[in-house]
Amino acid sequence: MAKKKSLVYYCTECGTESAKWQGQCPGCGAWNTMEEAPVTKTSTGKEKVIMPSELAKPTKMREIETENTPRLQTGIQELDRVLGGGIVAGSLVLVGGDPGIGKSTLLLQMCKHLSDKQEKVLYVSGEESLQQIKLRGDRIGEFSDSIFLLAETNITTIEGAIDQLQPKVAIIDSIQTMYDDAAPGSMSQVREITGVLLRIAKKKGITIFIVGHVTKEGNVAGPRMLEHMVDTVLYFEGDAAASYRILRGVKNRFGSTNEIGVFEMRGQGLVEVPNPSEYMLQGKPVGESGSVVACAIEGTRSFMIEVQALVCHTYFNMPRRTAAGTDYNRVNLLIAVVEKRLGMQLSDCDAYVNVAGGMRITEPALDLAIIAALISSQSGRAIDEHTVIFGEVGLVGEVRAVPQAEKRVAEAIKTGYKTCILPLANKISIEKSGNLDVSGVELVGIRNIRELMSRKEWSGNV
């Protein structure tokens, strides 16, 4: 934090500074031009004289003029969706994720689309040389003359390049490699650099994307610490060994949060997945027990996912419980509900639950599908392949309503499912509203998990 040190006198004609007042300026010789100005000491130890023109002046709200500037489209629909409709001028965007997940590739593809529109873009890399960036860019495609590359880590040099070029969008890859007057990567240095970039973005109206690396625990100095400073926070998720990638909006001052974009990593870069339901259900087995289709909601997007369960006898004193793609503690809770409310013995069985496709879904609407998958695996009875199940389950086995049920049913109809098992309260609400044509699907409303056991969708008696 800047601390006030003292006052100095400066000449309003030539700017000459003096420790005490003088009638005549020692620099230009003008008379009665010396005025007071405070001196501050920045966090880096530099002293700066604050001129009266730099002092903050309150402004009446109704006197402030706003401009309805249209958003700049990135050319990548999935990225535009997560950003809330496109790039907002003068915003500071943080893109975080594990190293090697594809952050630089995504931003380089965005730069290509913007440069194709003749928008001036500056890509600053502190990790790669210009030749390395060019080799990576050649795999994506041919770039126009509107994109400029800079391999630099000194923030003063970068600021000078931005002032000279005046780009529409600037990329800083990555924030951990930038420095001013201390070693890069430290908390204070990362915060100081981000403060400089924030000032540049707001003052010049330039959109700046900051790349930040995090570990799985998210404890690396940088992204977690900077979330309150930036306008938008995007996290790139996924297993580096898998082909899918999920771009998730965690914070957005100009759009909705928890929005997601789905990508697939290929040899030529990241490819958008416009229909996640089809992608997530690829390879789903037919007629196999332990496999259930559910409908999840992320942000404003609904998509179908496959929930798998495997229940088998254990030969150890402590049965094993494993959850992949969903909350481990929630799975343990649902297993306890099944044992207590349905009288199904699972204490001598290992139980494994998996959300296929690599997605991580933690919303309670997945509860009923997890229980159905556990029952199916334990009994060896499969559920009809044209059935989708969703609903929240309480501790006494009741099935509670979930939000945006109408959107989930609409996605099931669009995907071609014939039966939808859902909470009774949601079924009544959908039928009363009349906003959705449900003539092509059978809505089955249930009050508790015991009613799930007697449904005709099972291939045999459970």
Side-chain angles (χ1 to χ4, degrees), residues 85-305:
I87 297 174
V88 177
S91 60
L92 187 62
V93 182
L94 172 64
V95 182
D98 299 335
I101 203 68
K103 303 181 297 298
S104 301
T105 301
L106 175 65
L107 294 177
L108 196 58
Q109 289 184 219
M110 180 191 72
C111 292
K112 180 184 182 304
H113 290 295
L114 292 176
S115 65
D116 290 342
K117 300 178 182 178
Q118 302 305 314
E119 300 288 354
K120 195 177 293 185
V121 180
L122 175 63
Y123 190 100
V124 182
S125 176
E127 301 177 343
E128 298 176 289
S129 66
L130 299 181
Q131 291 75 17
Q132 289 174 322
I133 303 174
K134 180 65 166 60
L135 289 173
R136 186 155 50 88
D138 289 340
R139 296 196 300 268
I140 297 174
E142 186 176 351
F143 286 74
S144 69
D145 294 335
S146 298
I147 180 170
F148 297 82
L149 304 180
L150 177 65
E152 184 57 61
T153 56
N154 187 287
I155 190 62
T156 305
T157 306
I158 295 171
E159 185 175 2
I162 293 176
D163 289 338
Q164 180 182 5
L165 188 63
Q166 291 295 314
K168 191 81 171 182
V169 176
I171 312 295
I172 307 297
D173 185 10
S174 66
I175 190 65
Q176 279 92 353
T177 61
M178 302 297 154
Y179 75 95
D180 186 7
D181 57 356
S186 64
M187 287 189 178
S188 60
Q189 192 67 184
V190 170
R191 187 166 47 238
E192 185 77 20
I193 298 300
T194 305
V196 174
L197 296 174
L198 180 63
R199 174 177 55 81
I200 295 173
K202 301 303 180 185
K203 185 177 180 180
K204 302 182 181 298
I206 299 172
T207 302
I208 299 179
F209 285 79
I210 301 175
V211 176
H213 299 306
V214 296
T215 63
K216 292 181 179 180
E217 293 78 20
N219 55 7
V220 174
R224 296 293 184 188
M225 179 183 62
L226 302 178
E227 287 185 358
H228 71 284
M229 299 180 66
V230 301
D231 297 310
T232 305
V233 180
L234 309 180
Y235 273 95
F236 221 20
E237 304 173 355
D239 188 355
S243 61
Y244 78 93
R245 298 290 188 273
I246 305 297
L247 182 65
R248 188 183 303 273
V250 178
K251 171 188 175 182
N252 194 348
R253 289 174 178 163
F254 312 110
S256 63
T257 57
N258 293 322
E259 193 68 73
I260 68 165
V262 184
F263 298 87
E264 182 181 3
M265 179 63 79
R266 296 182 184 174
Q268 68 273 25
L270 291 164
V271 179
E272 299 177 71
V273 180
N275 187 359
S277 296
E278 180 182 355
Y279 178 73
M280 296 298 171
L281 295 179
Q282 286 181 353
K284 180 185 179 300
V286 178
E288 295 291 339
S289 64
S291 175
V292 176
V293 176
C295 188
I297 296 282
E298 288 286 348
T300 60
R301 168 173 284 185
S302 58
F303 51 90
M304 316 303 289
I305 57 173

Side-chain angles (χ1 to χ4, degrees), residues 311 319 321 335 338-339 344-351 374 378:
V311 179
R321 305 283 189 255
I335 291 175
V338 170
E339 285 190 317
M344 188 172 290
Q345 187 67 25
L346 298 177
S347 59
D348 59 347
C349 296
D350 293 332
L374 290 169
Q378 171 69 355

